[in-house]
């Protein structure tokens, strides 16, 4: 399903019936466009990207001039779409022009624009009230230069004259001229992030305003590196803000947040139910209050206007029984405070949490709200929108968000949010593998035990997609190393929500799981664990400049028990691959009469620094080498070439190390031959000496 939902917006929904077209304001200082050669076959050449922020009027002027180098660029950029929030922003289009063969044609006409709703996250229950001005350009060709010019005025006023802006200073395509200007009254408070080295900075005065300007020319395309931590920006950036501290953001929001419901009658009934069920136990008060805010009020984010940062009245939220993250956090905060507990809403960012301390203060740095609760000397972190988190809320002491801003009087700085510790998230898999040499098939009974965030994810999968979704997941997951695997029936799914552990049992069959070894008189069955596929990413380039993301603390334990008459011993010695970021261990043991091959992997750090990538890659190569275990079986109908075939069966040789075993045997033959030659030469000399 498409992640974007479009719909015509009726005129009476926001009062916007048309998009005005007018000349750019005088302070925009329209730049001259220069031509630049196409670089490295790029589909688009950005000749000019420019932003000018006029702080006194809270207006942003933007201009993008792109040369369309390919048919794909024409397909994408001929659809001009400018998103805005009509309740707090007013859009004015200045020009949408096409330059071709020395002729410039302006296509910006009020009657040609359509106003559509464009909800990017509607399937996730998020409605942000944003609309788009849409213009479908006609007769656009490769080689055309498309010039888009518009301005946006912020009329919300929730943060007074405070403004902040973060602008990328590089792109994935080449940029000819890059310009950014900040126009404000001299002497007004102002902060700026460290300037990227390739930008030049100048200051000037015009019409009583101080113009701070950054610019650069000939910026090459920068291909974003994959597997990046969410808090690492792939491009250098420039951030400007008039906020002096995070405390200012708190003060402005507290002035608009209403922590007292307009009507209490219905809420008091719920409050009495919570108190009665808890019986005075503080931990149970937390558990039942979370049940009310999380389960009795469904998550539905509808936040047009006011920068989506001011919740509706609590009585309204409770009566309609739906709310967004800030409204559910506010409701939970009120319930807990009425129960005598210390609770505070906390602004967070769900993707760049770890980057927040390095950014300048500004309300635009947040996209979510959670709740901090004090309970018996410990701090709880509760996301009332997370329907699938297991365990008791009174034990939730972590969230994967890193940093947040508490909305409470006197709070003036970010606070750190602990992440899940080692052992909290895990996956334990046990397989019983039974190869059949006669039919060439392998029967596999598997049990998966998932805890922590893995259990949360599986719970959400079952809730949203049911048994069919679980079957599809298991087949694709196991097939990474069990090619051709087939599920024999519906898997069982047991959920211990209080323990936050899920157990899945499934019966499978691999029709052609027993393969002939082309170089030896034997068969083989792969025992490589499917749980490790893709867990340890590698860098595609040795010149990587940014860290490689591995994920948060996690542990996998995978055991494979083998049942076959010719395999009666555990002959795979313990081996380890380790760096500061992860550790992989492999080995074998006997479980009664049957061998068990075991594998484990622990993620110790969430990322690998560029300086450590060489050691990391070597460790990953070793890890996948020792994980790639192959079970060797006697070949049906073929001579083994050994008087003691039982010495050759088992899983003691990784599949990629088989040739190493062959080389070792050859070296032994060479050694014996050399020894025989030495002994023979000694005997010849001895005989010659005696004959003399």
């Amino acid at each position: 399903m498409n992640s974007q939902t479009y719909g015509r917006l009726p005129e009476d929904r926001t009062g916007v019936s048309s998009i005005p077209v007018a000349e750019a304001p005088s302070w925009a200082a329209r730049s001259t466009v220069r031509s630049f050669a196409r670089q490295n076959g790029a589909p688009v050449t950005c000749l000019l990207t420019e932003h000018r922020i006029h702080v006194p009027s809270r207006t942003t002027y933007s201009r993008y001039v792109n040369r369309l180098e390919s048919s794909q660029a024409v397909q994408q950029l001929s659809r001009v779409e400018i998103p805005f929030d009509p309740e707090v922003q007013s859009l004015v289009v200045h020009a949408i022009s096409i330059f071709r063969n020395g002729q410039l044609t302006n296509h910006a006409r009020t009657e040609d624009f359509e106003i559509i709703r464009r909800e990017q996250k509607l399937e996730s229950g998020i409605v942000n009230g944003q609309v788009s001005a849409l213009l479908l350009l006609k007769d656009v060709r490769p080689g055309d230069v498309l010039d888009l010019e518009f301005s946006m005025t912020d009329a919300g006023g929730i943060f007074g004259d405070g403004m902040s802006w973060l602008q990328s200073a590089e792109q994935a395509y080449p940029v000819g001229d890059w310009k950014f200007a900040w126009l404000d009254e001299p002497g007004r408070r102002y902060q700026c992030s460290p300037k990227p080295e390739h930008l030049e900075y100048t200051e000037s005065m015009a019409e009583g305003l101080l113009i701070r300007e950054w610019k650069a020319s000939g910026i090459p395309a920068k291909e974003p590196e994959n597997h990046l931590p969410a808090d690492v920006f792939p491009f250098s950036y420039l951030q400007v803000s008039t906020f002096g501290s995070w405390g200012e953001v708190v003060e402005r929001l507290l002035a608009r947040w209403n922590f007292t419901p307009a009507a209490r009658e219905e809420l008091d009934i719920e409050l009495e139910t919570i108190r009665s069920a808890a019986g005075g136990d503080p931990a149970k008060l937390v558990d039942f209050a979370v049940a009310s805010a999380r389960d009795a009020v469904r998550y539905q984010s509808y936040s047009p206007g006011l920068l989506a940062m001011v919740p509706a009245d609590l009585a309204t939220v409770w009566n309609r029984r739906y709310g967004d993250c800030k409204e559910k956090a506010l409701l939970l905060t009120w319930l807990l405070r009425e129960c005598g507990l210390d609770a505070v809403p906390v602004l967070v960012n769900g993707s760049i949490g770890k980057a927040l301390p390095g950014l300048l203060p500004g309300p635009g740095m947040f996209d979510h709200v959670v709740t901090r609760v004090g309970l018996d000397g410990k701090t709880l972190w509760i996301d009332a929108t997370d329907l699938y988190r297991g365990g008791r809320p009174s034990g939730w002491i972590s969230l994967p968000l890193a940093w947040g801003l508490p909305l409470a009087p006197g709070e003036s700085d970010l606070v750190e949010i602990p992440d899940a510790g080692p052992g909290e998230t895990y996956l334990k898999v046990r397989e019983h593998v039974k190869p059949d040499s006669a039919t060439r098939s392998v029967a596999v009974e598997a049990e998966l035990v998932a805890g922590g965030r893995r259990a949360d994810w599986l719970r959400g999968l079952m809730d949203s997609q049911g048994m069919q979704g679980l079957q599809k997941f298991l087949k694709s997951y196991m097939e990474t190393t069990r090619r051709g695997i087939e599920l024999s029936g519906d898997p069982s799914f047991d959920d211990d929500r209080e323990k936050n552990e899920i157990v899945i049992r499934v019966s499978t069959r691999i029709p052609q799981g027993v393969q002939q070894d082309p170089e030896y008189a034997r068969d083989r069955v792969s025992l490589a664990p499917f749980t490790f596929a893709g867990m340890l990413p590698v860098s595609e380039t040795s010149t990587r400049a940014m860290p490689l993301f591995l994920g948060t603390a996690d542990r996998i334990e995978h055991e494979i028990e083998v049942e076959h008459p010719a395999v009666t011993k555990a002959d795979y010695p313990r081996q380890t691959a380790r760096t500061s970021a992860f550790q992989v261990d492999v080995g074998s043991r006997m479980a009664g009469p049957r061998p068990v091959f075991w594998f484990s992997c622990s993620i110790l750090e969430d990322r690998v620094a560029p300086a450590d990538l060489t050691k990391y890659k070597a460790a990953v190569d070793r890890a996948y080498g020792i994980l790639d275990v192959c079970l060797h079986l006697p070949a049906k109908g073929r001579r083994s070439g050994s008087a003691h075939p039982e010495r050759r069966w088992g899983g003691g040789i990784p599949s990629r190390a088989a040739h190493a075993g062959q080389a070792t045997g050859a070296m032994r033959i060479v050694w014996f031959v050399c020894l025989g030659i030495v002994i023979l030469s000694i005997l010849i000399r001895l005989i010659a000496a005696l004959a003399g």
Side-chain angles (χ1 to χ4, degrees):
M1 182 179 293
N2 196 317
S3 63
Q4 301 172 356
T5 300
Y6 297 89
R8 271 306 172 85
L9 188 67
E11 179 181 344
D12 60 357
R13 183 66 185 86
T14 62
V16 178
S17 59
S18 62
I19 300 299
V21 177
E23 292 291 329
S26 59
W27 51 264
R30 202 167 186 267
S31 300
T32 300
V33 179
R34 300 188 296 167
S35 182
F36 291 86
R38 185 180 184 181
Q39 300 292 324
N40 300 323
V44 176
T45 300
C46 180
L47 303 179
L48 171 67
T49 177
E50 182 173 17
H51 296 276
R52 300 178 72 85
I53 316 298
H54 192 272
V55 179
S57 66
R58 302 181 60 80
T59 301
T60 301
Y61 166 85
S62 300
R63 188 180 182 194
Y64 304 92
V65 183
N66 296 308
R67 187 172 63 231
L68 314 183
E69 310 284 14
S70 67
S71 299
Q72 184 66 23
V74 170
Q75 178 73 21
Q76 294 178 353
L77 297 183
S78 61
R79 176 190 178 101
V80 178
E81 188 176 342
I82 308 173
F84 68 104
D85 185 338
E87 292 199 14
V88 295
Q89 293 175 319
S90 58
L91 168 67
V92 178
V93 174
H94 307 307
I96 302 178
S97 305
I98 293 178
F99 183 78
R100 180 192 303 161
N101 298 327
Q103 298 295 320
L104 183 68
T105 305
N106 189 356
H107 295 264
R109 297 188 304 174
T110 296
E111 59 270 22
D112 291 339
F113 282 100
E114 294 184 42
I115 302 171
I116 62 171
R117 182 175 296 286
R118 182 181 186 272
E119 297 294 351
Q120 295 181 324
K121 300 182 179 180
L122 188 62
E123 289 77 13
S124 302
I126 299 175
V127 180
N128 60 17
Q130 194 174 78
V131 301
S132 289
L134 174 67
L135 176 63
L136 300 177
L137 292 172
K138 302 175 182 178
D139 188 24
V140 183
R141 310 171 190 175
D144 286 352
V145 175
L146 178 60
D147 189 340
L148 171 62
E149 189 180 4
F150 62 91
S151 61
M152 200 93 67
T153 300
D154 180 9
I158 183 174
F159 293 101
D161 59 356
M163 290 190 70
S164 64
W165 187 273
L166 190 149
Q167 181 66 42
S168 172
E170 295 172 295
Q171 304 290 346
Y173 45 82
V175 178
D177 283 320
W178 185 99
K179 297 181 179 181
F180 179 83
W182 187 265
L183 291 73
D184 201 359
E185 298 171 359
R188 191 195 296 262
R189 184 176 53 199
Y190 153 88
Q191 292 190 78
C192 182
S193 62
K195 180 181 71 66
E197 293 183 358
H198 68 281
L199 299 184
E200 297 179 3
Y201 174 72
T202 59
E203 291 185 3
S204 61
M205 292 289 297
E207 300 180 0
L209 295 179
L210 175 61
I211 303 176
R212 300 178 174 94
E213 189 168 17
W214 297 261
K215 61 179 63 178
S217 296
I219 303 176
K222 182 178 181 180
E223 186 69 25
E225 295 172 340
N226 59 4
H227 296 298
L228 282 177
D231 56 286
V232 175
F233 303 143
F235 306 116
S236 61
Y237 65 89
L238 185 72
Q239 186 186 12
V240 182
S241 178
T242 63
F243 291 91
S245 68
W246 293 109
E248 285 188 39
V249 178
V250 174
E251 291 176 5
R252 300 287 178 90
L253 286 175
L254 286 178
R256 302 298 295 265
W257 278 47
N258 185 6
F259 286 80
T260 304
R264 294 186 51 127
E265 292 79 7
E266 297 295 329
L267 283 166
D268 281 338
I269 295 174
E270 183 68 14
L271 192 59
E272 183 57 33
T273 301
I274 293 171
R275 288 169 174 164
S276 176
D281 185 338
K284 290 183 178 180
L285 284 172
V286 172
D287 294 340
F288 289 119
V290 170
S292 293
R294 185 177 75 166
D295 303 329
V297 176
R298 75 179 187 273
Y299 177 59
Q300 175 63 67
S301 177
Y302 177 69
S303 305
L306 295 178
L307 298 180
M309 300 194 75
V310 178
D313 181 77
L314 283 173
T316 300
V317 174
W318 183 254
N319 288 332
R320 73 190 184 192
R321 295 304 175 101
Y322 72 80
D324 59 17
C325 60
K326 61 183 177 293
E327 290 163 346
K328 288 168 74 74
L330 179 60
L331 174 61
L332 178 58
T333 297
W334 184 84
L335 291 171
L336 292 172
R337 287 181 177 178
E338 291 294 312
C339 291
L341 296 173
D342 178 25
V344 176
V346 180
L347 302 178
V348 296
N349 191 301
S351 58
I352 62 169
K354 287 188 177 182
L356 283 175
L359 297 174
L360 298 177
M365 299 298 104
F366 305 102
D367 62 3
H368 194 50
V369 186
V370 298
T371 305
R372 183 185 69 186
V373 186
L375 177 66
D376 297 332
K378 62 182 178 181
T379 301
L380 308 181
W381 295 94
I382 300 172
D383 183 353
T385 69
D386 188 351
L387 299 177
Y388 304 116
R389 186 174 183 180
R392 293 184 58 185
S394 52
W396 291 348
I397 59 174
S398 66
L399 275 177
L401 297 168
W403 292 87
L405 182 63
L407 290 182
E411 295 284 356
S412 60
D413 209 349
L414 300 170
V415 295
E416 190 168 8
I417 303 174
D419 201 355
E424 293 186 41
T425 297
Y426 57 86
L427 177 64
K428 300 177 182 179
V429 176
R430 184 172 180 85
E431 290 184 275
H432 180 90
V433 175
K434 187 176 181 180
D436 187 336
S437 299
T439 63
R440 319 297 295 175
S441 66
V442 178
V444 180
E445 299 286 334
E447 179 185 81
L448 295 82
V449 181
R453 290 179 195 158
R454 288 182 178 270
D456 299 339
W457 185 87
L458 285 168
R459 192 174 293 117
L461 175 68
M462 280 295 292
D463 186 63
S464 61
Q465 300 183 31
M467 184 58 67
Q468 184 177 6
L470 180 63
Q471 290 176 326
K472 184 177 179 181
F473 161 71
L474 288 174
K475 188 176 188 307
S476 61
Y477 193 35
M478 299 178 71
E479 201 168 26
T480 55
T481 58
R482 310 280 187 267
R483 300 297 182 188
I485 196 167
E486 299 173 353
L487 273 61
S488 302
D490 289 347
S492 66
F493 185 89
D494 300 321
D495 186 0
D496 186 338
R497 185 143 190 171
E498 184 164 332
K499 189 179 178 182
N500 199 22
E501 187 173 88
I502 288 175
V503 180
I504 300 172
R505 297 179 180 88
V506 60
S507 297
T508 66
R509 177 176 173 271
I510 310 173
Q512 296 298 319
V514 179
Q515 299 287 322
Q516 288 187 354
D517 191 320
E519 298 186 32
Y520 297 90
R522 63 190 180 197
D523 292 333
R524 63 184 180 187
V525 176
S526 173
L527 296 183
F530 56 83
T531 50
F532 290 76
M535 188 174 183
L536 299 172
V538 294
S539 176
E540 292 75 13
T541 173
S542 59
T543 59
R544 188 182 179 102
M546 295 183 175
L548 186 71
F549 183 63
L550 300 187
T552 54
D554 197 356
R555 179 170 175 82
I556 291 178
E557 297 176 7
H558 196 136
E559 295 187 351
I560 303 175
E561 181 184 66
V562 177
E563 180 182 352
H564 191 279
V567 184
T568 58
K569 59 183 178 180
D571 55 355
Y572 196 70
R574 176 167 182 165
Q575 300 182 64
T576 298
R578 177 185 173 88
T579 70
S580 59
F582 75 90
Q583 178 169 332
V584 169
D585 293 289
V586 180
S588 62
R589 69 173 190 275
M590 292 299 296
R594 295 172 184 163
V596 174
F597 300 90
W598 58 266
F599 314 84
S600 70
C601 179
S602 295
I603 300 297
L604 308 176
E605 296 179 358
D606 71 338
R607 67 195 66 195
V608 181
D612 299 328
L613 283 174
T614 301
K615 292 182 179 179
Y616 168 80
K617 186 177 185 304
V620 170
D621 289 343
R622 171 166 172 76
Y624 281 117
I626 62 178
L627 287 168
D628 193 10
V629 175
C630 203
L631 180 70
H632 299 147
L633 304 173
K636 184 178 177 63
R638 289 188 291 165
R639 294 176 59 87
S640 68
S642 171
H644 303 282
E646 69 277 3
R647 295 180 182 175
R648 301 184 60 184
W649 319 138
I653 304 178
S655 60
R656 65 174 64 182
H659 293 291
Q662 182 185 26
T664 301
M667 289 301 295
R668 288 176 179 171
I669 295 174
V670 171
W671 187 82
F672 280 116
V673 170
C674 293
L675 180 61
I677 293 174
V678 171
I679 294 175
L680 180 60
S681 64
I682 293 174
L683 289 175
I684 292 174
R685 291 182 182 179
L686 181 59
I687 293 172
L690 291 175

